Amino acid sequence: MDSSKQENALPQDQELELKLPHLLSTKTVRELYTQIVNEWDFLRKSACQTAAGRALWKHVIDDPLAEVLAGETYLRNLHEKIKKDRHNNARETSGVILAVRTLWFDSKIEAALDSFGGAAQVVLLGAGMDTRAYRLSCLKECDVFEVDFPEVLQVKAALLQVALESTENLRLMAKSLTRVATDIRENDWLEKLQLSGFVPEKNTIWVLEGIIYYLSHSQAMQVLKVVAEKCTLTHTVLLADFMNKASTTLSNSTFHFYSDWPDQLLPSLGFSHVKLSQIGDADAHFGLMHDPLNLFNKLRNLPRSVETHPDDGTPCCRLYLVQASGSPDQNNFLENHANVI
């Protein structure tokens, strides 16, 4: 088998017709998804698209709740794209970027918790249909906070209740889970988070997965600054994915915030350590990026300053996976060092 075919190899059942779980046909779930289809905007619906990616890449992501949270429409849409990609022997199978992104965040959360000694707060900003509190055993000593729109959290809670009542061996893995109904585009989201039990002085991992580019520049910077300020109080880790400017042109009406150099932006806000990865790098590979000629590997081999691909003139659309951290000890060291100089 050549590398491109190996990369696109999915479990055998993915080649057949999509097998939908019985729960999706129940009255309660159908009514909830009617609400999603009729009332949610693109940003809210993107949560279901992400869940569909986890569900259909289940050979690498263990998420038994993903199918119910994705819903029939989004499962069918992504399944059709995957079948088309397989038929065309595409070098990038639909959903692979969601799979790699999910696995990268999972691995970095676990590594950060190891560095903390296991106990911490984990704040999922724009949590959507995230299920980490139910599927990551590394969260067993963690207080998890899911922050999102009230209607998203309400529908999600209802879907999870149906799934948990109908499926054995599914339970909360985290020490605790608190849902915080608020819009991170507003200025009072941190206050609402603290009223829900978040303690600013406790070690915290902040997760911004698949969300920050939907915000305006001022909204995104406000969120990043709030998180960066916590570096002066406690050990703080930020995990986020950033689009570069070219990527936002994929949908002028949907994507707004971008950063071509987030590894320079975040230190300017107060983070002392920043590591940037691209899809296909050693820590953002997960055995899914074998083909050296796929889009992501071709981009990795170009300097980040290159805006259009020399082979075909297409924009270099990049997604950066970024881990940033800081702590009071590091900040004191930097201040003292600056004073000496």
Side-chain angles (χ1 to χ4, degrees):
M1 177 180 286
D2 67 35
S3 60
S4 63
K5 290 182 179 178
Q6 181 181 358
E7 178 158 337
N8 291 308
L10 296 175
Q12 290 300 311
D13 61 0
Q14 296 257 0
E15 298 181 8
L16 306 174
E17 289 304 309
L18 179 64
K19 297 177 181 178
L20 296 172
H22 169 70
L23 282 180
L24 293 182
S25 62
T26 62
K27 180 181 178 182
T28 300
V29 172
R30 285 192 172 278
E31 288 177 349
L32 289 168
Y33 267 92
T34 297
Q35 180 181 340
I36 290 173
V37 171
N38 293 336
E39 299 177 14
W40 288 16
D41 61 9
F42 182 86
L43 174 57
R44 291 162 175 80
K45 290 177 179 177
S46 69
C48 301
Q49 295 170 336
T50 301
R54 296 197 306 272
L56 294 184
W57 284 80
K58 59 188 174 185
H59 57 299
V60 292
I61 300 171
D62 182 16
D63 187 351
L65 294 167
E67 289 181 320
V68 173
L69 294 176
E72 180 176 349
T73 298
Y74 297 99
L75 289 171
R76 289 194 182 281
N77 287 347
L78 182 55
H79 187 260
E80 287 303 311
K81 291 178 181 177
I82 289 174
K83 285 204 304 183
K84 183 178 179 181
D85 289 340
R86 289 177 64 85
H87 178 74
N88 295 331
N89 198 27
R91 294 189 181 276
E92 303 89 30
T93 305
S94 293
V96 68
I97 192 169
L98 286 173
V100 170
R101 191 181 76 183
T102 299
L103 293 169
W104 183 88
F105 275 92
D106 287 355
S107 66
K108 298 304 180 185
I109 289 171
E110 184 171 7
L113 289 173
D114 285 343
S115 72
F116 288 161
Q121 296 173 128
V122 178
V123 182
L124 305 164
L125 296 176
M129 297 297 181
D130 191 291
T131 59
R132 289 187 170 93
Y134 293 90
R135 63 181 183 81
L136 294 187
S137 59
C138 63
L139 297 175
K140 62 185 178 183
E141 298 180 55
C142 297
D143 298 309
V144 176
F145 297 86
E146 294 184 347
V147 181
D148 213 320
F149 300 112
E151 60 273 22
V152 171
L153 296 179
Q154 289 166 4
V155 169
K156 178 182 179 180
L159 288 169
L160 284 173
Q161 182 177 350
V162 172
L164 293 170
E165 289 175 352
S166 306
T167 310
E168 294 183 0
N169 301 321
L170 286 179
R171 61 181 179 83
L172 185 68
M173 294 285 208
K175 177 183 176 183
S176 69
L177 172 60
T178 304
R179 297 188 175 99
V180 184
T182 187
D183 185 345
I184 63 171
R185 297 174 299 185
E186 303 296 334
N187 293 326
D188 62 349
W189 66 266
L190 180 62
E191 178 184 355
K192 291 181 179 179
L193 179 61
Q194 291 179 203
L195 289 172
S196 299
F198 173 78
V199 180
E201 294 78 17
K202 286 187 177 180
N203 293 347
T204 305
I205 301 170
W206 300 82
V207 178
L208 278 163
E209 181 185 13
I211 186 65
I212 199 166
Y213 25 81
Y214 290 103
L215 309 182
S216 69
H217 180 81
S218 61
Q219 292 163 349
M221 289 300 295
Q222 184 262 351
V223 170
L224 293 174
K225 288 175 181 176
V226 166
V227 176
E229 287 171 357
K230 299 298 169 283
C231 294
T232 64
L233 298 175
T234 188
H235 291 280
T236 301
V237 172
L238 170 69
L239 302 173
D241 57 321
F242 291 78
M243 286 183 172
N244 68 344
K245 185 176 182 179
S247 295
T248 61
T249 62
L250 295 171
S251 177
N252 290 324
S253 62
T254 302
F255 304 126
H256 306 289
F257 177 74
Y258 66 86
S259 178
D260 292 310
W261 304 95
D263 43 340
Q264 295 179 12
L265 170 65
L266 294 175
S268 74
L269 299 179
F271 291 99
S272 52
H273 291 90
V274 180
K275 184 180 186 300
L276 178 146
S277 301
Q278 296 187 67
I279 305 293
D281 282 352
D283 66 337
H285 187 289
F286 305 102
L288 302 175
M289 293 289 139
H290 297 291
D291 185 355
L293 296 181
N294 74 34
L295 171 65
F296 310 109
N297 285 327
K298 287 168 67 176
L299 286 175
R300 287 172 55 241
N301 292 325
L302 292 174
R304 286 166 54 194
S305 57
V306 175
E307 297 182 358
T308 57
H309 203 287
D311 290 350
D312 53 19
T314 56
C316 291
C317 299
R318 301 175 187 266
L319 183 73
Y320 297 125
L321 303 172
V322 182
Q323 177 178 359
S325 61
S327 70
D329 294 340
Q330 292 166 349
N331 288 325
N332 290 337
F333 171 80
L334 293 174
E335 290 176 5
N336 293 335
H337 186 64
N339 292 332
V340 170
I341 294 174

